[in-house]
Structures are given as structure tokens and as C-alpha cells.
Amino acid sequence: MHAAWGPYPDTILQFPGADLAIDLRRPVAPEALLALARDGLSGPFAVVTACNPLGHPLGERANHRLSAVLSAMVRQHHPGARPAHGGSSDGRHLEPGWAIPVPLDEARRLAARFFQNAVFWFDGTKFVIVPVLASGPQVSLPQEPAYR
């Protein structure tokens, strides 16, 4: 694993509208694909957050303000987007975000506006860490072996 990604591969994505959590350390289960489709995410999408720009932890108030700006932009320009929050596997850290069904280049431009190192890209079957401002490589998830 490239150092730029740190805990990214261990993220648990929560989709409140689908009452779904996806552990990126495991392959996406068929039932999860069905739940995503029922929630309007039947094809490729990116998961974008505004929290902790460039990987530097900010205080709760600063992250809340950035998330509010991202939420307003997403609601205005991406009506098909759904809330998608990324959290640590131990549940101690959670960043609000959005699953946005747009082309990858568009998602990367949006994430760059919030100084994000990467986005999670879902290609319809698996998640991939895709660099935005960081210089790390793309990494398909789950990492090999299938579960560490």
C-alpha cells in the first residue's frame, strides 16, 4: 500500500438512505449492489468529502462548515447524489460525504475544490482509491489478499 493512502483502504462507507454499510476491506456483496441500486446508485459513482483537506485534521467546526458548503453544491448540481459517509473500521472517525453519480473527471474536479487527496470511485462492481491531489497510485479495493 502506498503511504499516501494511510487508512483509506480500511474505510467503512455508510449509505444512510440505503441503510447500508460497505467495508472496503471486503469485496462488495451482491446484496449491497442491490441496496445501492434501490437507493438510486445503480452505476458508477464517486464518494467525495470536504473534511480534512490534504489529509490535515481540522476541528469539528471547520469540517462542519466545509461539509455544509459541499452539501449545498451537491444538492444544487447533482440531484442524483446520496449521502455517503466514510468512517474508520473502529467507528472512532466519520467524515460526511456524498456518493455522486458523475464521470470520474468531474468528481475529481469537485474533490480538488475541497483540497482532497483522493476519492473513492465505484465502477459498478468494486471500489478504487483514485488520486486527486496526492501523488499515490490508484488502488483497487479490497487490497490483496481479499481480507487482511
Side-chain angles (χ1 to χ4, degrees), residues 40-62:
L41 297 169
S42 59
F45 61 85
V47 177
V48 179
T49 185
C51 295
N52 302 322
L54 298 174
H56 299 293
L58 297 180
E60 185 178 332
R61 288 179 59 175

PDB file of all heavy atoms in Angstrom, residues 40-62:
ATOM      1  N   GLY A  40     -30.807   4.388  -5.815  1.00  0.00           N
ATOM      2  CA  GLY A  40     -30.532   5.251  -6.957  1.00  0.00           C
ATOM      3  C   GLY A  40     -29.092   5.248  -7.427  1.00  0.00           C
ATOM      4  O   GLY A  40     -28.708   6.057  -8.273  1.00  0.00           O
ATOM      5  N   LEU A  41     -28.280   4.346  -6.891  1.00  0.00           N
ATOM      6  CA  LEU A  41     -26.863   4.267  -7.268  1.00  0.00           C
ATOM      7  C   LEU A  41     -26.609   2.947  -7.993  1.00  0.00           C
ATOM      8  O   LEU A  41     -25.907   2.071  -7.509  1.00  0.00           O
ATOM      9  CB  LEU A  41     -25.978   4.390  -6.024  1.00  0.00           C
ATOM     10  CG  LEU A  41     -26.078   5.716  -5.274  1.00  0.00           C
ATOM     11  CD1 LEU A  41     -25.373   5.627  -3.926  1.00  0.00           C
ATOM     12  CD2 LEU A  41     -25.506   6.853  -6.112  1.00  0.00           C
ATOM     13  N   SER A  42     -27.182   2.829  -9.192  1.00  0.00           N
ATOM     14  CA  SER A  42     -27.083   1.567  -9.930  1.00  0.00           C
ATOM     15  C   SER A  42     -25.865   1.493 -10.841  1.00  0.00           C
ATOM     16  O   SER A  42     -25.580   0.443 -11.392  1.00  0.00           O
ATOM     17  CB  SER A  42     -28.350   1.346 -10.753  1.00  0.00           C
ATOM     18  OG  SER A  42     -28.527   2.415 -11.650  1.00  0.00           O
ATOM     19  N   GLY A  43     -25.152   2.587 -10.988  1.00  0.00           N
ATOM     20  CA  GLY A  43     -23.972   2.589 -11.859  1.00  0.00           C
ATOM     21  C   GLY A  43     -22.785   3.200 -11.149  1.00  0.00           C
ATOM     22  O   GLY A  43     -22.776   3.339  -9.919  1.00  0.00           O
ATOM     23  N   PRO A  44     -21.778   3.605 -11.902  1.00  0.00           N
ATOM     24  CA  PRO A  44     -20.582   4.195 -11.308  1.00  0.00           C
ATOM     25  C   PRO A  44     -20.888   5.495 -10.556  1.00  0.00           C
ATOM     26  O   PRO A  44     -21.779   6.250 -10.933  1.00  0.00           O
ATOM     27  CB  PRO A  44     -19.683   4.470 -12.509  1.00  0.00           C
ATOM     28  CG  PRO A  44     -20.140   3.518 -13.557  1.00  0.00           C
ATOM     29  CD  PRO A  44     -21.627   3.401 -13.357  1.00  0.00           C
ATOM     30  N   PHE A  45     -20.105   5.701  -9.485  1.00  0.00           N
ATOM     31  CA  PHE A  45     -20.210   6.942  -8.726  1.00  0.00           C
ATOM     32  C   PHE A  45     -18.916   7.156  -7.944  1.00  0.00           C
ATOM     33  O   PHE A  45     -18.136   6.228  -7.751  1.00  0.00           O
ATOM     34  CB  PHE A  45     -21.422   6.925  -7.777  1.00  0.00           C
ATOM     35  CG  PHE A  45     -21.404   5.851  -6.728  1.00  0.00           C
ATOM     36  CD1 PHE A  45     -20.741   6.038  -5.513  1.00  0.00           C
ATOM     37  CD2 PHE A  45     -22.062   4.650  -6.940  1.00  0.00           C
ATOM     38  CE1 PHE A  45     -20.738   5.047  -4.547  1.00  0.00           C
ATOM     39  CE2 PHE A  45     -22.065   3.652  -5.969  1.00  0.00           C
ATOM     40  CZ  PHE A  45     -21.397   3.852  -4.765  1.00  0.00           C
ATOM     41  N   ALA A  46     -18.731   8.389  -7.508  1.00  0.00           N
ATOM     42  CA  ALA A  46     -17.595   8.732  -6.653  1.00  0.00           C
ATOM     43  C   ALA A  46     -18.111   9.093  -5.275  1.00  0.00           C
ATOM     44  O   ALA A  46     -19.204   9.636  -5.139  1.00  0.00           O
ATOM     45  CB  ALA A  46     -16.823   9.910  -7.233  1.00  0.00           C
ATOM     46  N   VAL A  47     -17.318   8.803  -4.260  1.00  0.00           N
ATOM     47  CA  VAL A  47     -17.610   9.256  -2.908  1.00  0.00           C
ATOM     48  C   VAL A  47     -16.643  10.386  -2.609  1.00  0.00           C
ATOM     49  O   VAL A  47     -15.426  10.218  -2.656  1.00  0.00           O
ATOM     50  CB  VAL A  47     -17.475   8.119  -1.877  1.00  0.00           C
ATOM     51  CG1 VAL A  47     -17.714   8.655  -0.464  1.00  0.00           C
ATOM     52  CG2 VAL A  47     -18.438   6.988  -2.205  1.00  0.00           C
ATOM     53  N   VAL A  48     -17.230  11.561  -2.318  1.00  0.00           N
ATOM     54  CA  VAL A  48     -16.455  12.782  -2.104  1.00  0.00           C
ATOM     55  C   VAL A  48     -16.793  13.349  -0.733  1.00  0.00           C
ATOM     56  O   VAL A  48     -17.960  13.397  -0.345  1.00  0.00           O
ATOM     57  CB  VAL A  48     -16.787  13.834  -3.192  1.00  0.00           C
ATOM     58  CG1 VAL A  48     -16.004  15.122  -2.969  1.00  0.00           C
ATOM     59  CG2 VAL A  48     -16.504  13.277  -4.578  1.00  0.00           C
ATOM     60  N   THR A  49     -15.772  13.806  -0.024  1.00  0.00           N
ATOM     61  CA  THR A  49     -15.937  14.513   1.246  1.00  0.00           C
ATOM     62  C   THR A  49     -15.234  15.854   1.128  1.00  0.00           C
ATOM     63  O   THR A  49     -14.456  16.083   0.212  1.00  0.00           O
ATOM     64  CB  THR A  49     -15.345  13.703   2.422  1.00  0.00           C
ATOM     65  OG1 THR A  49     -15.624  14.381   3.649  1.00  0.00           O
ATOM     66  CG2 THR A  49     -13.848  13.522   2.283  1.00  0.00           C
ATOM     67  N   ALA A  50     -15.514  16.728   2.084  1.00  0.00           N
ATOM     68  CA  ALA A  50     -14.815  18.012   2.145  1.00  0.00           C
ATOM     69  C   ALA A  50     -13.946  18.098   3.388  1.00  0.00           C
ATOM     70  O   ALA A  50     -13.224  19.080   3.577  1.00  0.00           O
ATOM     71  CB  ALA A  50     -15.836  19.160   2.139  1.00  0.00           C
ATOM     72  N   CYS A  51     -13.989  17.083   4.225  1.00  0.00           N
ATOM     73  CA  CYS A  51     -13.301  17.117   5.516  1.00  0.00           C
ATOM     74  C   CYS A  51     -11.786  16.946   5.378  1.00  0.00           C
ATOM     75  O   CYS A  51     -11.305  16.296   4.455  1.00  0.00           O
ATOM     76  CB  CYS A  51     -13.843  16.016   6.420  1.00  0.00           C
ATOM     77  SG  CYS A  51     -15.562  16.238   6.871  1.00  0.00           S
ATOM     78  N   ASN A  52     -11.092  17.534   6.326  1.00  0.00           N
ATOM     79  CA  ASN A  52      -9.646  17.348   6.475  1.00  0.00           C
ATOM     80  C   ASN A  52      -8.873  17.505   5.170  1.00  0.00           C
ATOM     81  O   ASN A  52      -8.236  16.559   4.689  1.00  0.00           O
ATOM     82  CB  ASN A  52      -9.370  15.987   7.130  1.00  0.00           C
ATOM     83  CG  ASN A  52     -10.049  15.874   8.468  1.00  0.00           C
ATOM     84  OD1 ASN A  52     -10.106  16.838   9.222  1.00  0.00           O
ATOM     85  ND2 ASN A  52     -10.584  14.714   8.767  1.00  0.00           N
ATOM     86  N   PRO A  53      -8.913  18.714   4.577  1.00  0.00           N
ATOM     87  CA  PRO A  53      -8.212  18.950   3.310  1.00  0.00           C
ATOM     88  C   PRO A  53      -6.736  18.550   3.372  1.00  0.00           C
ATOM     89  O   PRO A  53      -6.071  18.746   4.391  1.00  0.00           O
ATOM     90  CB  PRO A  53      -8.346  20.458   3.108  1.00  0.00           C
ATOM     91  CG  PRO A  53      -9.494  20.875   3.969  1.00  0.00           C
ATOM     92  CD  PRO A  53      -9.525  19.909   5.109  1.00  0.00           C
ATOM     93  N   LEU A  54      -6.276  17.961   2.284  1.00  0.00           N
ATOM     94  CA  LEU A  54      -4.892  17.496   2.137  1.00  0.00           C
ATOM     95  C   LEU A  54      -4.476  16.540   3.251  1.00  0.00           C
ATOM     96  O   LEU A  54      -3.301  16.397   3.546  1.00  0.00           O
ATOM     97  CB  LEU A  54      -3.926  18.685   2.054  1.00  0.00           C
ATOM     98  CG  LEU A  54      -4.152  19.614   0.860  1.00  0.00           C
ATOM     99  CD1 LEU A  54      -3.243  20.825   0.952  1.00  0.00           C
ATOM    100  CD2 LEU A  54      -3.944  18.874  -0.453  1.00  0.00           C
ATOM    101  N   GLY A  55      -5.471  15.895   3.871  1.00  0.00           N
ATOM    102  CA  GLY A  55      -5.182  14.928   4.912  1.00  0.00           C
ATOM    103  C   GLY A  55      -4.815  15.529   6.250  1.00  0.00           C
ATOM    104  O   GLY A  55      -4.396  14.816   7.154  1.00  0.00           O
ATOM    105  N   HIS A  56      -4.988  16.853   6.409  1.00  0.00           N
ATOM    106  CA  HIS A  56      -4.671  17.514   7.674  1.00  0.00           C
ATOM    107  C   HIS A  56      -5.937  17.609   8.519  1.00  0.00           C
ATOM    108  O   HIS A  56      -6.901  18.262   8.109  1.00  0.00           O
ATOM    109  CB  HIS A  56      -4.092  18.905   7.429  1.00  0.00           C
ATOM    110  CG  HIS A  56      -2.832  18.894   6.643  1.00  0.00           C
ATOM    111  ND1 HIS A  56      -1.655  18.349   7.129  1.00  0.00           N
ATOM    112  CD2 HIS A  56      -2.554  19.325   5.401  1.00  0.00           C
ATOM    113  CE1 HIS A  56      -0.717  18.465   6.212  1.00  0.00           C
ATOM    114  NE2 HIS A  56      -1.230  19.043   5.151  1.00  0.00           N
ATOM    115  N   PRO A  57      -5.941  16.983   9.687  1.00  0.00           N
ATOM    116  CA  PRO A  57      -7.131  17.020  10.538  1.00  0.00           C
ATOM    117  C   PRO A  57      -7.499  18.455  10.937  1.00  0.00           C
ATOM    118  O   PRO A  57      -6.644  19.230  11.360  1.00  0.00           O
ATOM    119  CB  PRO A  57      -6.728  16.206  11.768  1.00  0.00           C
ATOM    120  CG  PRO A  57      -5.599  15.349  11.307  1.00  0.00           C
ATOM    121  CD  PRO A  57      -4.877  16.157  10.260  1.00  0.00           C
ATOM    122  N   LEU A  58      -8.763  18.776  10.755  1.00  0.00           N
ATOM    123  CA  LEU A  58      -9.299  20.066  11.180  1.00  0.00           C
ATOM    124  C   LEU A  58     -10.224  19.832  12.363  1.00  0.00           C
ATOM    125  O   LEU A  58     -10.666  18.713  12.608  1.00  0.00           O
ATOM    126  CB  LEU A  58     -10.096  20.716  10.053  1.00  0.00           C
ATOM    127  CG  LEU A  58      -9.347  21.090   8.782  1.00  0.00           C
ATOM    128  CD1 LEU A  58     -10.308  21.719   7.780  1.00  0.00           C
ATOM    129  CD2 LEU A  58      -8.193  22.046   9.074  1.00  0.00           C
ATOM    130  N   GLY A  59     -10.559  20.903  13.035  1.00  0.00           N
ATOM    131  CA  GLY A  59     -11.517  20.822  14.128  1.00  0.00           C
ATOM    132  C   GLY A  59     -12.910  20.522  13.606  1.00  0.00           C
ATOM    133  O   GLY A  59     -13.211  20.665  12.418  1.00  0.00           O
ATOM    134  N   GLU A  60     -13.781  20.113  14.516  1.00  0.00           N
ATOM    135  CA  GLU A  60     -15.146  19.738  14.160  1.00  0.00           C
ATOM    136  C   GLU A  60     -15.892  20.884  13.474  1.00  0.00           C
ATOM    137  O   GLU A  60     -16.595  20.671  12.486  1.00  0.00           O
ATOM    138  CB  GLU A  60     -15.888  19.287  15.412  1.00  0.00           C
ATOM    139  CG  GLU A  60     -17.266  18.755  15.143  1.00  0.00           C
ATOM    140  CD  GLU A  60     -17.944  18.270  16.410  1.00  0.00           C
ATOM    141  OE1 GLU A  60     -17.262  17.844  17.354  1.00  0.00           O
ATOM    142  OE2 GLU A  60     -19.185  18.314  16.426  1.00  0.00           O
ATOM    143  N   ARG A  61     -15.748  22.098  13.972  1.00  0.00           N
ATOM    144  CA  ARG A  61     -16.471  23.242  13.391  1.00  0.00           C
ATOM    145  C   ARG A  61     -16.010  23.520  11.962  1.00  0.00           C
ATOM    146  O   ARG A  61     -16.827  23.779  11.083  1.00  0.00           O
ATOM    147  CB  ARG A  61     -16.291  24.477  14.255  1.00  0.00           C
ATOM    148  CG  ARG A  61     -17.074  24.393  15.557  1.00  0.00           C
ATOM    149  CD  ARG A  61     -16.868  25.592  16.413  1.00  0.00           C
ATOM    150  NE  ARG A  61     -17.281  26.792  15.677  1.00  0.00           N
ATOM    151  CZ  ARG A  61     -17.310  27.992  16.178  1.00  0.00           C
ATOM    152  NH1 ARG A  61     -16.954  28.195  17.428  1.00  0.00           N
ATOM    153  NH2 ARG A  61     -17.690  29.017  15.446  1.00  0.00           N
ATOM    154  N   ALA A  62     -14.704  23.476  11.718  1.00  0.00           N
ATOM    155  CA  ALA A  62     -14.184  23.742  10.366  1.00  0.00           C
ATOM    156  C   ALA A  62     -14.660  22.664   9.395  1.00  0.00           C
ATOM    157  O   ALA A  62     -15.095  22.975   8.274  1.00  0.00           O
ATOM    158  CB  ALA A  62     -12.662  23.810  10.394  1.00  0.00           C
TER     159      ALA A  62
END
